Tab-separated table of all heavy atoms in Angstrom:
chain	number	residue	atom	x	y	z
A	203	GLU	N	-22.338	10.185	-0.065
A	203	GLU	CA	-23.693	10.716	0.099
A	203	GLU	C	-24.037	11.723	-1.005
A	203	GLU	O	-25.145	11.703	-1.554
A	203	GLU	CB	-23.817	11.367	1.490
A	203	GLU	CG	-25.239	11.716	1.910
A	203	GLU	CD	-26.199	10.535	1.801
A	203	GLU	OE1	-25.754	9.375	1.946
A	203	GLU	OE2	-27.399	10.789	1.535
A	204	ARG	N	-23.063	12.565	-1.354
A	204	ARG	CA	-23.283	13.530	-2.447
A	204	ARG	C	-23.570	12.774	-3.747
A	204	ARG	O	-24.449	13.142	-4.533
A	204	ARG	CB	-22.053	14.424	-2.647
A	204	ARG	CG	-21.805	15.430	-1.540
A	204	ARG	CD	-22.711	16.657	-1.622
A	204	ARG	NE	-22.559	17.431	-2.851
A	204	ARG	CZ	-21.597	18.301	-3.065
A	204	ARG	NH1	-20.676	18.521	-2.158
A	204	ARG	NH2	-21.546	18.987	-4.182
A	205	PHE	N	-22.836	11.713	-3.964
A	205	PHE	CA	-23.015	10.879	-5.157
A	205	PHE	C	-24.419	10.268	-5.159
A	205	PHE	O	-25.132	10.327	-6.165
A	205	PHE	CB	-21.935	9.789	-5.157
A	205	PHE	CG	-22.174	8.656	-6.119
A	205	PHE	CD1	-21.883	8.789	-7.464
A	205	PHE	CD2	-22.673	7.440	-5.665
A	205	PHE	CE1	-22.091	7.730	-8.346
A	205	PHE	CE2	-22.878	6.380	-6.538
A	205	PHE	CZ	-22.589	6.528	-7.884
A	206	ARG	N	-24.841	9.725	-4.024
A	206	ARG	CA	-26.146	9.047	-3.959
A	206	ARG	C	-27.304	9.998	-4.211
A	206	ARG	O	-28.295	9.620	-4.804
A	206	ARG	CB	-26.329	8.383	-2.589
A	206	ARG	CG	-25.681	7.020	-2.533
A	206	ARG	CD	-26.013	6.265	-1.257
A	206	ARG	NE	-24.951	5.300	-1.010
A	206	ARG	CZ	-24.009	5.437	-0.085
A	206	ARG	NH1	-24.033	6.474	0.723
A	206	ARG	NH2	-23.065	4.535	0.042
A	207	THR	N	-27.170	11.244	-3.767
A	207	THR	CA	-28.299	12.181	-3.870
A	207	THR	C	-28.240	13.042	-5.133
A	207	THR	O	-29.199	13.739	-5.446
A	207	THR	CB	-28.339	13.096	-2.630
A	207	THR	OG1	-27.055	13.696	-2.477
A	207	THR	CG2	-28.678	12.304	-1.377
A	208	ALA	N	-27.125	13.013	-5.868
A	208	ALA	CA	-26.980	13.886	-7.044
A	208	ALA	C	-27.871	13.414	-8.201
A	208	ALA	O	-27.946	12.216	-8.469
A	208	ALA	CB	-25.525	13.910	-7.489
A	209	PRO	N	-28.521	14.354	-8.895
A	209	PRO	CA	-29.281	13.955	-10.083
A	209	PRO	C	-28.333	13.609	-11.239
A	209	PRO	O	-27.341	14.292	-11.446
A	209	PRO	CB	-30.098	15.213	-10.407
A	209	PRO	CG	-29.372	16.342	-9.776
A	209	PRO	CD	-28.572	15.799	-8.632
A	210	TRP	N	-28.636	12.562	-11.959
A	210	TRP	CA	-27.811	12.139	-13.100
A	210	TRP	C	-28.584	12.275	-14.416
A	210	TRP	O	-28.209	11.655	-15.412
A	210	TRP	CB	-27.356	10.684	-12.901
A	210	TRP	CG	-26.008	10.549	-12.275
A	210	TRP	CD1	-25.452	11.345	-11.307
A	210	TRP	CD2	-25.029	9.536	-12.571
A	210	TRP	NE1	-24.202	10.887	-10.973
A	210	TRP	CE2	-23.914	9.770	-11.738
A	210	TRP	CE3	-24.990	8.449	-13.441
A	210	TRP	CZ2	-22.766	8.968	-11.756
A	210	TRP	CZ3	-23.855	7.645	-13.463
A	210	TRP	CH2	-22.758	7.912	-12.629
A	211	GLY	N	-29.666	13.060	-14.407
A	211	GLY	CA	-30.433	13.244	-15.638
A	211	GLY	C	-30.956	11.917	-16.148
A	211	GLY	O	-31.467	11.106	-15.374
A	212	ASN	N	-30.787	11.661	-17.460
A	212	ASN	CA	-31.335	10.409	-18.013
A	212	ASN	C	-30.355	9.239	-17.933
A	212	ASN	O	-30.632	8.157	-18.431
A	212	ASN	CB	-31.844	10.616	-19.444
A	212	ASN	CG	-30.795	11.282	-20.319
A	212	ASN	OD1	-29.635	11.399	-19.909
A	212	ASN	ND2	-31.190	11.714	-21.503
A	213	LEU	N	-29.206	9.472	-17.293
A	213	LEU	CA	-28.271	8.354	-17.116
A	213	LEU	C	-28.595	7.595	-15.832
A	213	LEU	O	-28.953	8.197	-14.827
A	213	LEU	CB	-26.828	8.859	-17.049
A	213	LEU	CG	-26.189	9.322	-18.351
A	213	LEU	CD1	-24.763	9.782	-18.092
A	213	LEU	CD2	-26.192	8.206	-19.397
A	214	GLU	N	-28.464	6.296	-15.917
A	214	GLU	CA	-28.749	5.462	-14.760
A	214	GLU	C	-27.508	5.384	-13.859
A	214	GLU	O	-26.422	5.062	-14.328
A	214	GLU	CB	-29.121	4.060	-15.248
A	214	GLU	CG	-29.985	3.305	-14.273
A	214	GLU	CD	-30.311	1.926	-14.843
A	214	GLU	OE1	-30.760	1.858	-16.025
A	214	GLU	OE2	-30.077	0.949	-14.122
A	215	LYS	N	-27.716	5.699	-12.585
A	215	LYS	CA	-26.579	5.758	-11.653
A	215	LYS	C	-26.273	4.375	-11.069
A	215	LYS	O	-27.178	3.681	-10.633
A	215	LYS	CB	-26.937	6.721	-10.524
A	215	LYS	CG	-25.739	7.303	-9.804
A	215	LYS	CD	-26.161	8.038	-8.540
A	215	LYS	CE	-27.052	9.227	-8.852
A	215	LYS	NZ	-27.504	9.877	-7.602
A	216	PRO	N	-24.992	3.993	-11.042
A	216	PRO	CA	-24.651	2.706	-10.424
A	216	PRO	C	-24.582	2.848	-8.893
A	216	PRO	O	-24.776	3.939	-8.367
A	216	PRO	CB	-23.262	2.396	-10.988
A	216	PRO	CG	-22.661	3.741	-11.235
A	216	PRO	CD	-23.794	4.681	-11.564
A	217	GLU	N	-24.311	1.757	-8.222
A	217	GLU	CA	-24.076	1.787	-6.779
A	217	GLU	C	-22.692	2.381	-6.510
A	217	GLU	O	-21.783	2.259	-7.340
A	217	GLU	CB	-24.075	0.350	-6.227
A	217	GLU	CG	-25.433	-0.323	-6.239
A	217	GLU	CD	-26.352	0.255	-5.172
A	217	GLU	OE1	-25.946	0.217	-3.994
A	217	GLU	OE2	-27.437	0.748	-5.535
A	218	TRP	N	-22.535	2.988	-5.344
A	218	TRP	CA	-21.194	3.406	-4.907
A	218	TRP	C	-20.320	2.144	-4.770
A	218	TRP	O	-20.758	1.155	-4.171
A	218	TRP	CB	-21.285	4.121	-3.559
A	218	TRP	CG	-19.942	4.575	-3.066
A	218	TRP	CD1	-19.102	3.881	-2.239
A	218	TRP	CD2	-19.278	5.803	-3.383
A	218	TRP	NE1	-17.949	4.598	-2.021
A	218	TRP	CE2	-18.033	5.788	-2.709
A	218	TRP	CE3	-19.605	6.912	-4.181
A	218	TRP	CZ2	-17.122	6.837	-2.802
A	218	TRP	CZ3	-18.693	7.954	-4.264
A	218	TRP	CH2	-17.479	7.910	-3.578
Side-chain angles (χ1 to χ4, degrees):
E203 192 53 29
R204 290 282 299 279
F205 166 80
R206 276 188 205 105
T207 53
W210 265 36
N212 51 11
L213 286 180
E214 205 180 310
K215 203 191 297 177
E217 290 287 303
W218 180 267

